[in-house]
Amino acid sequence: MKPSRWRVLFTTLIGRWFLAFWLGAVALTVLRCAFDLDVYLNGAMFVRRDKSSDYLLHLPCGYIDVDRRRPLLIYLHGAGERFADVRDLKTADIVHYIDGRIPPEKFPFIVVSPKSSPYGWEPEAVIKLIDELLADDGSRLRVDPSRIYITGFSMGGYGVWETMQRYPERFVAAVPLAGGCRSFDPGVFRDASVWAFHGELDDVIDCECSLAPMEALWQTYPELRDRFRLTVYPDLDHGIPRRVYGDIELYRWMLRQRYD
């Protein structure tokens, strides 16, 4: 007895759906493996929109090593990006400045580049974002809490100084570029490390804005002078990020700073 036409049709459809399902599963597996391999070799960049802030997230190469926690580097952008979309930070963040200048395997940081409010950097918002990132650690981000760093340029340099003054215990090291601070209390920096950078020809933010807080730190902690560095470029003006962030010695110095 021959099976009915409908039964043959039904069986054929089931077979095709079954085949399509497995082909799709294989394709997704191959794509995921290719993505993981690309992240492993080159790192990856994502746009994230979370509770307190929009930000760019850079995962370093080798990130899929599940048992390895990575240092976290927070980057605060300058005033020119205050009103831009977070996606525009891809051409104005630390990963952009180091592109092609430092081998990916020499840059092991998870980099988070948040978007500031229109009014500038608010230290409380920066800390809230970090708390959210650490709370997310179990499911997505594998952060080494003993190695959290903060850096920023221009308005972001001011943001670094201000955030460090209010929450010095949250960062093992700070790197402000072409920044400054409106008021300064060196007494809270005993356990921190700072490496500031400025161009001597800067006509946007005077070099003195970096020199003054660094001199206060040297006077307050003469025995810790090696932890407080200042680099002034005599041949540069305000545009120093590419010079600073393209120097691998900066990241070697960062990685030497860590809490026990």
Side-chain angles (χ1 to χ4, degrees):
M1 180 177 176
K2 292 184 178 181
S4 68
R5 184 179 65 179
W6 293 109
R7 183 175 180 181
V8 171
L9 180 61
F10 177 77
T11 303
T12 301
L13 288 175
I14 290 296
R16 289 178 177 176
W17 278 110
F18 184 78
L19 179 62
F21 171 81
W22 282 109
L23 287 175
V26 170
L28 288 174
T29 300
V30 170
L31 289 173
R32 179 55 191 263
C33 290
F35 174 80
D36 285 347
L37 179 61
D38 185 56
V39 173
Y40 190 85
L41 295 175
N42 303 303
M45 179 75 78
F46 304 93
V47 175
R48 297 277 289 270
R49 301 182 185 276
D50 277 6
K51 300 173 185 177
S52 63
S53 179
D54 296 343
Y55 60 91
L56 294 184
L57 170 66
H58 168 79
L59 300 180
C61 69
Y63 181 74
I64 59 174
D65 291 344
V66 296
D67 295 328
R68 184 179 178 187
R69 292 183 177 270
R70 299 297 188 123
L72 174 63
L73 178 56
I74 304 295
Y75 173 78
L76 308 183
H77 63 73
E81 290 72 46
R82 277 184 298 175
F83 303 102
D85 186 90
V86 64
R87 290 169 293 188
D88 296 332
L89 297 182
K90 290 181 179 180
T91 60
D93 80 329
I94 189 172
V95 178
H96 166 74
Y97 290 124
I98 69 171
D99 185 34
R101 309 187 71 188
I102 295 177
E105 65 273 13
K106 301 294 185 181
F107 189 79
F109 301 87
I110 298 171
V111 180
V112 171
S113 303
K115 177 78 169 55
S116 78
S117 77
Y119 307 104
W121 289 108
E122 301 165 342
E124 295 81 4
V126 175
I127 297 302
K128 184 177 180 182
L129 173 60
I130 293 173
D131 287 340
E132 291 174 2
L133 294 170
L134 294 178
D136 193 36
D137 184 71
S139 59
R140 286 180 286 180
L141 294 183
R142 295 184 291 277
V143 174
D144 182 349
S146 70
R147 294 187 295 171
I148 299 178
Y149 311 88
I150 186 169
T151 185
F153 167 61
S154 193
M155 182 185 78
Y158 272 86
V160 169
W161 281 115
E162 295 293 335
T163 304
M164 281 294 293
Q165 285 201 92
R166 299 194 196 184
Y167 304 95
E169 74 285 354
R170 299 302 303 270
F171 305 96
V172 68
V175 181
L177 277 63
C181 44
R182 295 166 184 82
S183 60
F184 187 66
D185 176 14
V188 302
F189 281 79
R190 170 167 289 279
D191 296 322
S193 297
V194 179
W195 192 352
F197 294 83
H198 220 114
E200 190 171 8
L201 305 179
D202 195 331
D203 58 357
V204 178
I205 299 175
D206 194 277
C207 186
E208 180 65 26
C209 294
S210 287
L211 181 59
M214 295 306 297
E215 287 183 334
L217 288 171
W218 294 332
Q219 292 173 7
T220 304
Y221 307 108
E223 74 283 8
L224 303 177
R225 190 181 177 98
D226 60 325
R227 290 228 315 265
F228 304 115
R229 297 186 176 188
L230 172 63
T231 296
V232 176
Y233 297 109
D235 59 330
L236 293 183
D237 51 21
H238 195 59
I240 65 173
R242 188 167 295 276
R243 173 81 69 89
V244 176
Y245 293 133
D247 186 353
I248 195 171
E249 180 54 34
L250 171 63
Y251 309 108
R252 291 171 176 163
W253 175 83
M254 283 187 184
L255 294 172
R256 290 195 296 269
Q257 319 303 317
R258 64 183 301 163
Y259 288 128
D260 297 327

